[in-house]
Amino acid sequence: MSDHTAVIQDVVPVIDITDLRSDDVARRRAVGKEIDGACREIGFFQITGHGLPDELVAGVYDTAKEFFAQPMATKREVAQPNPKTVRGYTAVGEQAFAYNEDTSAPGDLHEKFDVGPHVVSDDPYFSIENAGPHFIPNQWPSSPAGMQQAWESYFEAADDLCRLIMRGFALGLDLPEDFFADKIDKDISMLRAIHYPHQEEPPAPGQMRAGAHTDYGSLTIVRPEVAPGGLQVFTQDGDWVDVPVIPGALVVNIGDLMAQWTNDEWISTRHRVANPPRDVVADTERMSIVFFHQPNYDAVIEPLPTCVAAGEEPRYAPTTSGDHLTMKFEKTHQKA
């Protein structure tokens, strides 16, 4: 396995998804096929034409930056209560993504703040008795003002964008365009701001800003930032490749459940967030806004018949979105 790194934009293609909103099914299908190609080759792509307004992104970014700048005691007032309840604040070193791969590693060099869906409903589907932790209330800090409104607005817009991309997934896989619709209409997605502080001291051996891992769900949307030490993907050639930051574009990658749905015809690719070079004199602080799209907790994920060749057995047993997500959360939380 090589640890060589490079910047190769062609590895992570840029796809204009404007035509997914077209009235012409042929144009929609053409975008779906571009997505299909990217998911088979690397499982990552960048999107333009996504329609997320700059002010929505800025609302999350600015309030997150203000939140993370507060004293630790203030941030701890909305600390994540336990590994299964991913709501609120997690400090630097309290999570290690490498646990996702059943490997031991020091805690990751980032802090984060998480929120889930903001659902107000008497429907038993959303109750704790049925849904477990997936629809519990979010924790909101008393400061900064306007954080809740900014994050809820972004969450709704990002969720709509994911539903659009999932229609593109269906078209790319030659499925009915609405195939995934009833599996993601009560999704258990999460919005996360990840703050990577400036590194005054060298990391411990093997310690990363975010250790190598694959994501859990259907897809992830990332708004990255131009700063030293960023997102890298592990190519099929065995190289770690820097994902370039393209102004106005969002990074998209598929997760483990999408790979399972396609019986590994689509790739859930390992990725990490690298440490900044030690010779960088400038401030190396950075922050990413990440939306993890996750299907309904009771959605059954099993290989699509169209992705299992005649005479072959599926590679995966059926699972549910909720059970799979809870298992992953427990693995990635840093053990005491």
Side-chain angles (χ1 to χ4, degrees):
M1 181 183 297
S2 170
D3 199 47
H4 171 68
T5 59
V7 178
I8 309 174
Q9 186 164 321
D10 290 345
V11 170
V12 180
V14 180
I15 301 174
D16 185 344
I17 66 168
T18 302
D19 279 348
L20 284 181
R21 301 181 180 89
S22 171
D23 292 334
D24 185 343
V25 67
R27 294 173 68 176
R28 299 198 302 272
R29 185 169 287 113
V31 177
K33 287 302 178 184
E34 283 191 76
I35 293 172
D36 175 66
C39 291
R40 290 176 187 276
E41 289 295 323
I42 188 65
F44 270 78
F45 53 98
Q46 301 209 47
I47 57 172
T48 58
H50 49 74
L52 277 186
D54 291 342
E55 59 268 23
L56 283 184
V57 178
V60 175
Y61 182 91
D62 292 345
T63 55
K65 193 173 183 68
E66 187 175 345
F67 171 78
F68 289 124
Q70 297 179 114
M72 179 58 70
T74 302
K75 293 183 285 190
R76 288 286 193 196
E77 292 174 0
V78 287
Q80 178 178 327
N82 59 65
K84 290 185 179 180
T85 307
V86 186
R87 299 288 187 272
Y89 175 72
T90 303
V92 174
E94 292 182 343
Q95 183 181 48
F97 278 117
Y99 287 151
N100 181 27
E101 301 188 343
D102 294 318
T103 61
S104 177
D108 290 336
L109 294 173
H110 68 252
E111 56 183 343
K112 66 185 182 71
F113 186 84
D114 292 290
V115 303
H118 46 283
V119 175
V120 179
S121 174
D122 294 330
D123 186 338
Y125 183 90
F126 301 103
S127 68
I128 292 178
E129 291 77 16
N130 292 321
H134 299 304
F135 289 103
I136 61 172
N138 290 309
Q139 298 194 90
W140 295 109
S142 56
S143 176
M147 185 171 180
Q148 180 175 354
Q149 181 178 353
W151 283 56
E152 287 181 352
S153 296
Y154 185 90
F155 193 110
E156 183 176 343
D159 214 9
D160 286 344
L161 176 58
C162 287
R163 291 183 177 119
L164 178 69
I165 294 171
M166 292 290 286
R167 292 208 302 270
F169 283 1
L171 289 164
L173 291 165
D174 294 320
L175 297 167
E177 193 168 355
D178 62 351
F179 177 84
F180 296 109
D182 64 351
K183 303 164 185 66
I184 59 172
D185 57 345
K186 297 184 284 291
D187 57 285
I188 54 173
S189 302
M190 283 202 331
L191 173 59
R192 172 178 297 172
I194 308 177
H195 176 233
Y196 305 98
H198 176 63
Q199 294 184 3
E200 296 283 356
E201 301 296 329
Q207 191 171 36
M208 303 289 292
R209 282 184 149 175
H213 64 284
T214 57
D215 286 350
Y216 318 147
S218 41
L219 70 123
T220 303
I221 297 177
V222 181
R223 187 273 194 188
E225 183 173 31
V226 178
L231 178 64
Q232 297 179 334
V233 298
F234 193 67
T235 70
Q236 295 187 61
D237 293 330
D239 290 329
W240 285 106
V241 176
D242 292 328
V243 178
V245 177
I246 299 174
L250 298 170
V251 178
V252 177
N253 65 279
I254 65 166
D256 297 341
L257 286 190
M258 205 68 231
Q260 291 187 30
W261 243 332
T262 60
N263 208 39
D264 286 338
E265 289 194 6
W266 286 11
I267 304 168
S268 180
T269 294
R270 294 172 70 226
H271 52 285
R272 67 186 186 185
V273 179
N275 297 311
R278 294 307 304 168
D279 59 358
V280 173
V281 178
D283 191 344
T284 60
E285 178 187 28
R286 69 179 294 125
M287 188 161 62
S288 297
I289 307 302
V290 187
F291 189 82
F292 297 101
H293 187 258
Q294 185 81 21
N296 304 355
Y297 67 78
D298 58 350
V300 176
I301 314 299
E302 56 186 332
L304 300 164
T306 53
C307 295
V308 180
E312 292 188 0
E313 291 294 321
R315 295 187 178 188
Y316 299 97
T319 187
T320 64
S321 169
D323 287 348
H324 184 266
L325 182 63
T326 299
M327 176 268 294
K328 290 290 188 177
F329 282 157
E330 291 175 329
K331 277 189 175 184
T332 59
H333 200 78
Q334 176 80 352
K335 277 71 170 175

